[in-house]
Amino acid sequence: MSVPAKGTPRADAGQLPLPSAASARRRRRPSGEPPPLPRQLNKSGKFWLAVAGLAILFCALLVPSGGLTLRLDEIEGPVLSGLSALRLDPLTTFFRGLDAAIGPVVLVVWWGSLLVMLIWRRWRHLFVWIGTMWLVSNLTDVANQLIQRPRPLTVEIVGSWQGFAMPSRPVAVLTATAVNVLYALVPAGRARDRGKLIAAGVVGLVCAGRLYLAIDHPTDILAGVALGVAIPLAGWRLLVPNDVFPVTYRRGRAAHLDVTGHRGEAILRALHDQLGVVVTAVKPFGLEGSGGSTPLRMTVKSDPETYLFGKLYAITHLRSDRWYKLGRTLLYGRLEDEKPFNTVRRLVQYEDYVLRLMHSAGLPVPEPYGFVEITPEREYLLVTEFFADAQEVGEVDVDEALIDQGLQMVRQLWEAGLAHRDIKPANLLVRHGRLLLIDSAFAEIRPSPWRQAVDLGNMMLVLALRSDAQTVYDRARLQFSDSEIAEAFAATRGLTMPSQLRRMIREHGRDLHAEFTKLLPERLPPIRIQRWTVRRVGLLVGVVVLAVLASQLVVALLRSPL
Amino acid sequence: MRRPALLCWLLLLAFAGGCVNSGALAEDVGRLPNCTSQPGTVRRGVLIMAQAVPSAQWLPCIRTVPPGWSFDEIRPRDGEVSMLFSSDRDGMHALTVLLRPSCDLTGATEVPSEHPEMRRFERVTRVSDGYAGERHYTFDGGCVTYRFDLRGTTRAEPVAALSESLAFLSRQKLDQMVRQVSGDRLRLDSN
C-alpha cells in the first residue's frame, strides 16, 4: 500500500476508493434488519423484565384492597401451614441462622465488591451497582408501605422480620446483590453461568427458609425475586453490556475493547456490507500507544495480503473524551474550552472529516476510507490506510530531510487552518525515508494561534530528540520566522507537551526546551495558559461540591449499599 | 427491543416516583391503621401490629387524624412497632406511638387511666420550647407509648387532640374480624 503523493487530487470525499484486491459488493441493510452488533437485553433480560412488570402490576392491584390480601392469604395459607407441620428444631435453627445472615452477608459482599471495583477501576460497574441497589431497595420499601401486607396469618411465625411482607425486601436485596456480583465481578462465560447456578441455589435456599419460618408468603418471595433480578439485569444489559464493558482481570487499558467473539464477527460483517471489504482477521495493534480508542490491524483478503488500519470507538471513548475535555478545561480554562461530543457517531464523523481535510490538504496522513457502523450510536469503526513497515520517529536517526518534512507538515497544517494537537513520537512514523503523520483524533479546525504555535514547538522538540536543537533550529528558520519560532517556545511548555514527549525528553536527560530558547534571538515571555472564565469557575465550584457530596455518599455507602 | 425496556424502566420509575409520598396516600387507599374497617376488609396496619407483638391484648389504632396532623408511616418488626405522625405546627414525627411487650416506666408517674383495662403512666421531659414527654398504657402482654416531641407554641392543645384521636382495639375483636372476613379460614394467631 503506497503513501499518497502530496497534493494528489482526490475523488469525491465520501467515496474514496479502497484497494482493488479488497473490493466486494456493498450491501445496504434493509429496514428492520438488526445492525451488525445489536444492543440487546437478551431473552432472559426481557423475560425477567416481563416478570417484574407482572409483579409490579400484581402489587399495584393489592394496594387499594385489604380484602384482596386476605384472599391471597386464604390461598397461600395451606402451603405455609403444610411447611410448618414439617418443622424440626435443628432445621428451624439452621433456617433462622441463614435468614439472620442475609444482612451481614450482603454488607460483606458489598465491601468486597467495592474493593474489587475500585482496584480494577470499574467505575461504571460501581455506579450501576449502586443505582440498581438503590432502586431495588427504594422500590421495595415504597411498595411495602403502599401494600402493607401483613405477615402470614394463622401460622406461627418463628423467625425475625421487619417491615411489611409484600414484596419480600430481604429476598429482593439478596437477589439483586447476587445478580450484581455476577455481572460486576464474574467474567462472562462458563464462570458466570456456574455462578448463576450457585446464586440461584443460595437464593432458593434462603427463600425456602423464609417460607419454612413463615416470615413471607410465596407471592412475597416471587415478587422480591422478580424485582431483585429484573432491575439489576436490565441495568447491566442496557448500561454495561458485556460486549462493551467486559469483566476481565487482565491488566490493560479499560478503553480497549475485546474484538473477538460477537464483536469480531460484527466488524467483519460491517466492513463487508458497508465498505465492500473482505477482511479475514482483525487484531488489536499498538494498544500501548492508544488510550482513546481500540486500534486495529485488519487483514484484507488479497494476494499478497494487505492491511487496513481501524480505530474502534465506543460509548466508553465518548465518555473518556468528555472527562478529558472537562479535565483540560479545569486545568487550563479558556484555551481548551472546546465542547465535548454528544454521540459516538459525531466523534467518529469529526475524526473522519478532519482526516479527509488533512489528506486533501496534501498532508502525509493515512488515506481515509470512511467509517462503518457496528452498533448504532454506540460503536463505530474508522477505517484508514495502514502504514506497514513504518517506525516511530523516536526509533530512527533523524536527518535534515526528515526535519524538513516535519517542519513542512506544521507549515501545511497552518496553511490549512488546522492544528494536530498531539504531535509526539508515537504519532510520527517514518517509512522509506518519508515522515508520516497519524492520529487526527485531537485535531482542531481553525484553532487558536496558541495551539498552532504549540504544534510547531512540539514538532521541533520531537525532531531534536534524535538529532540536535541547533540543526532543527537552523532548518526551522528556512520555513518559519524567528518570531514564529519564539512564539512556539513561549507557548510550548509543561503540560502543553504530550506526556510521551515529556517522558522521552526526561529519559534523554536533556533540557531541550532550554537548548532551543538559548538559540532564539529574542525571547518572548511564556504565553499564559491559565485563563479564568465564569464557566471555568462555575465548573470548579461544581466539581468541588460534587466531590464533597461524593465523599459523603462513599461514607454512607461503606456502611450499607442500600 | 429498546422500547419495551424503556417502557419497563419508566413503569418502575413512575411507580417509585409516584408513590414516594406514601403517607399522604395512606388515607386515600385506606391504609391508615383505623379502629374501624370497611365491610369485607381488615385494617392491614392493625394486623401487622398484632403480629409484631403477639402477646399484646390491645392494639393502638386511629379514630381520626386531627386537623394539622398527618400520619407518616408504620414501622413494624417482630417485637416492636411504631406509628409516626407529623404536624404542620409541631414538626416532623412530633408523635410516635410505640407498641412493645413491655415498657421502661422508670421516672414515670401513674395517673388515672381513661381505659379501665389499662394503667396509665406519664413522664414529662421538656416543657420549654414546646413539649416532650411520654405517656404509657400498660395492659396484658403489652405496653403502648405515646412519645411526644412537640416544637410548637401550644402544648396542651395538641396533646389533648391526639389523645382523643387515638384509641385501642382488642386482639380478640381483631381476630373475630379476620375470621369473619375470611369465612373462618384464617385466624389472627396460630392457636
Side-chain angles (χ1 to χ4, degrees):
Chain A
M1 205 168 294
S2 62
V3 177
K6 194 165 70 176
T8 305
R10 301 293 170 195
D12 173 16
Q15 295 293 321
L16 288 173
L18 286 165
S20 59
S23 60
R25 188 181 169 81
R26 297 182 192 208
R27 177 179 164 272
R28 176 185 166 273
R29 176 161 64 93
S31 299
E33 185 180 297
L37 186 64
R39 179 181 172 227
Q40 55 188 345
L41 264 171
N42 292 345
K43 279 183 186 168
S44 60
K46 287 181 205 164
F47 168 78
W48 281 106
L49 267 183
V51 171
L54 285 175
I56 289 175
L57 201 63
F58 181 66
C59 292
L61 286 174
L62 293 178
V63 170
S65 168
L68 199 55
T69 57
L70 287 180
R71 298 289 95 76
L72 260 183
D73 268 83
E74 289 170 23
I75 298 166
E76 297 181 283
V79 177
L80 296 173
S81 297
L83 281 172
S84 70
L86 303 173
R87 282 179 188 163
L88 297 168
D89 285 347
L91 202 56
T92 306
T93 308
F94 168 73
F95 278 131
R96 275 181 180 156
L98 188 68
D99 195 55
I102 294 178
V105 164
V106 166
L107 198 57
V108 169
V109 167
W110 160 239
W111 285 338
S113 307
L114 179 67
L115 197 65
V116 173
M117 286 185 278
L118 290 177
I119 289 171
W120 294 94
R121 295 182 197 171
R122 292 193 194 132
W123 308 116
R124 198 177 172 89
H125 291 76
L126 180 61
F127 290 137
V128 170
W129 182 304
I130 292 170
T132 54
M133 287 304 279
W134 179 87
L135 200 57
V136 168
S137 171
N138 282 279
L139 194 64
T140 50
D141 199 25
V142 169
N144 269 192
Q145 282 294 330
L146 280 173
I147 299 165
Q148 289 199 344
R149 187 179 193 190
R151 297 285 158 179
L153 294 163
T154 313
V155 62
E156 187 189 2
I157 302 170
V158 291
S160 292
W161 55 269
Q162 193 170 348
F164 291 95
M166 167 78 87
S168 176
R169 200 160 175 258
V171 168
V173 168
L174 177 71
T175 311
T177 303
V179 173
N180 282 343
V181 166
L182 288 170
Y183 282 82
L185 306 185
V186 184
R190 190 181 291 177
R192 190 176 288 171
D193 291 342
R194 283 183 184 168
K196 283 176 187 172
L197 291 177
I198 294 169
V202 171
V203 172
L205 193 63
V206 169
C207 293
R210 289 179 73 85
L211 291 175
Y212 173 88
L213 299 171
I215 298 172
D216 291 328
H217 305 87
T219 43
D220 305 336
I221 283 176
L222 286 176
V225 169
L227 293 175
V229 173
I231 293 172
L233 198 63
W236 292 109
R237 293 264 165 87
L238 294 176
L239 304 175
V240 198
N242 195 65
D243 287 331
V244 184
F245 307 96
V247 175
T248 172
Y249 291 92
R250 289 191 302 270
R251 281 285 176 196
R253 285 176 191 262
H256 297 145
L257 302 169
D258 179 16
V259 290
T260 59
H262 291 312
R263 182 180 282 110
E265 291 164 16
I267 288 172
L268 298 187
R269 196 160 57 250
L271 287 166
H272 181 277
D273 290 355
Q274 296 170 42
L275 287 186
V277 185
V278 181
V279 169
T280 55
V282 176
K283 283 188 177 171
F285 177 82
L287 293 181
E288 64 284 348
S290 166
S293 64
T294 303
L296 305 171
R297 190 184 74 168
M298 298 172 291
T299 310
V300 180
K301 188 178 180 184
S302 59
D303 189 21
E305 279 186 342
T306 51
Y307 301 105
L308 288 175
F309 181 73
K311 285 176 86 175
L312 186 59
Y313 280 103
I315 197 87
T316 44
H317 304 118
L318 182 74
R319 293 210 168 79
S320 302
D321 178 72
R322 279 185 197 155
W323 285 110
Y324 171 80
K325 285 178 175 164
L326 174 67
R328 303 281 282 193
T329 306
L330 292 175
L331 280 173
Y332 300 136
R334 201 173 56 175
L335 287 173
E336 294 286 344
D337 65 352
E338 74 266 46
K339 297 285 182 290
F341 293 100
N342 289 327
T343 65
V344 188
R345 186 201 295 269
R346 291 200 176 167
L347 174 71
V348 181
Q349 272 176 355
Y350 179 80
E351 184 169 345
D352 183 54
Y353 172 65
V354 169
L355 192 60
R356 286 171 193 273
L357 271 186
M358 288 183 174
H359 196 250
S360 62
L363 279 151
V365 292
E367 187 169 357
Y369 296 134
F371 60 92
V372 294
E373 178 186 75
I374 308 295
T375 306
E377 300 304 336
R378 298 187 76 83
E379 257 182 71
Y380 292 88
L381 177 68
L382 183 75
V383 184
T384 71
E385 176 186 4
F386 181 77
F387 287 139
D389 304 324
Q391 286 177 285
E392 278 189 21
V393 75
E395 297 167 356
V396 298
D397 289 330
V398 174
D399 56 16
E400 287 189 354
L402 284 178
I403 293 171
D404 287 345
Q405 288 178 50
L407 296 167
Q408 174 66 21
M409 266 182 211
V410 177
R411 174 56 71 191
Q412 284 177 282
L413 283 168
W414 285 15
E415 285 175 4
L418 297 165
H420 185 273
R421 295 185 58 214
D422 198 20
I423 289 182
K424 60 183 181 182
N427 287 341
L428 287 167
L429 305 182
V430 179
R431 188 173 68 172
H432 311 312
R434 185 163 170 75
L435 194 65
L436 308 164
L437 181 64
I438 60 168
D439 198 355
S440 57
F442 295 118
E444 204 172 354
I445 304 163
R446 297 294 161 214
S448 66
W450 170 81
R451 255 296 157 210
Q452 291 180 309
V454 170
D455 268 1
L456 176 59
N458 282 332
M459 179 62 85
M460 291 178 71
L461 288 166
V462 170
L463 295 171
L465 271 173
R466 294 303 300 257
S467 59
D468 61 273
Q470 184 67 57
T471 309
V472 174
Y473 177 71
D474 290 343
R475 304 304 300 178
R477 292 187 71 195
L478 300 175
Q479 299 193 48
F480 297 93
S481 67
D482 284 343
S483 61
E484 284 172 333
I485 298 170
E487 184 190 343
F489 284 96
T492 308
R493 61 203 170 89
L495 286 170
T496 61
M497 292 189 270
S499 53
Q500 188 207 18
L501 177 57
R502 287 204 306 273
R503 194 184 67 244
M504 289 184 76
I505 290 174
R506 268 200 311 276
E507 285 170 3
H508 277 69
R510 296 156 62 189
D511 188 352
L512 273 178
H513 192 277
E515 287 178 29
F516 274 114
T517 46
K518 273 183 204 161
L519 297 170
L520 297 172
E522 55 166 338
R523 287 189 202 176
L524 296 176
I527 295 176
R528 197 161 55 90
I529 58 172
Q530 290 292 343
R531 301 288 172 95
W532 288 97
T533 59
V534 176
R535 181 171 177 265
R536 187 182 177 193
V537 172
L539 276 173
L540 275 172
V541 171
V543 166
V544 170
V545 169
L546 280 177
V548 171
L549 289 175
S551 62
Q552 288 179 341
L553 183 68
V554 166
V555 171
L557 284 170
L558 280 174
R559 291 194 190 129
S560 166
L562 309 180
Chain B
M1 182 175 327
R2 295 171 70 180
R3 207 169 292 164
L6 189 66
L7 282 174
C8 287
W9 277 103
L10 288 175
L11 185 66
L12 289 172
L13 290 174
F15 189 79
C19 303
V20 165
N21 189 1
S22 56
L25 280 172
E27 290 183 58
D28 299 333
V29 294
R31 291 178 303 101
L32 270 178
N34 278 353
C35 301
T36 54
S37 296
Q38 290 173 340
T41 65
V42 181
R43 292 289 173 180
R44 289 167 270 185
V46 187
L47 274 178
I48 198 106
M49 284 191 224
Q51 292 178 316
V53 186
S55 61
Q57 296 307 305
W58 291 92
L59 307 160
C61 57
I62 301 170
R63 277 200 195 114
T64 53
V65 178
W69 284 80
S70 60
F71 167 73
D72 294 330
E73 60 174 320
I74 298 181
R75 290 179 185 168
R77 64 180 173 87
D78 60 322
E80 183 181 301
V81 62
S82 55
M83 282 192 286
L84 304 176
F85 296 84
S86 293
S87 160
D88 54 4
R89 279 174 292 181
D90 291 293
M92 278 282 288
H93 303 337
L95 172 67
T96 305
V97 178
L98 284 157
L99 169 66
R100 289 171 292 186
S102 62
C103 296
D104 177 11
L105 299 171
T106 313
T109 307
E110 183 163 9
V111 296
S113 172
E114 65 274 32
H115 303 288
E117 307 83 359
M118 302 172 197
R119 295 172 69 189
R120 176 177 158 183
F121 298 84
E122 296 275 354
R123 179 166 50 201
V124 178
T125 52
R126 191 185 76 236
V127 289
S128 61
D129 188 23
Y131 171 80
E134 289 181 343
R135 176 183 297 177
H136 306 282
Y137 291 97
T138 63
F139 46 84
D140 270 0
C143 171
V144 169
T145 302
Y146 297 176
R147 188 173 288 159
F148 297 98
D149 183 14
L150 310 177
R151 297 282 171 186
T153 50
T154 57
R155 58 176 204 243
E157 189 187 326
V159 171
L162 285 166
S163 303
E164 283 295 309
S165 303
L166 297 167
F168 292 91
L169 182 69
S170 79
R171 187 176 201 92
Q172 193 182 2
K173 189 170 180 190
L174 185 66
D175 185 43
Q176 282 173 0
M177 290 162 77
V178 171
R179 286 169 190 262
Q180 189 185 348
V181 169
S182 67
D184 227 15
R185 281 188 289 270
L186 294 173
R187 299 187 305 277
L188 177 59
D189 298 305
S190 58
N191 48 20

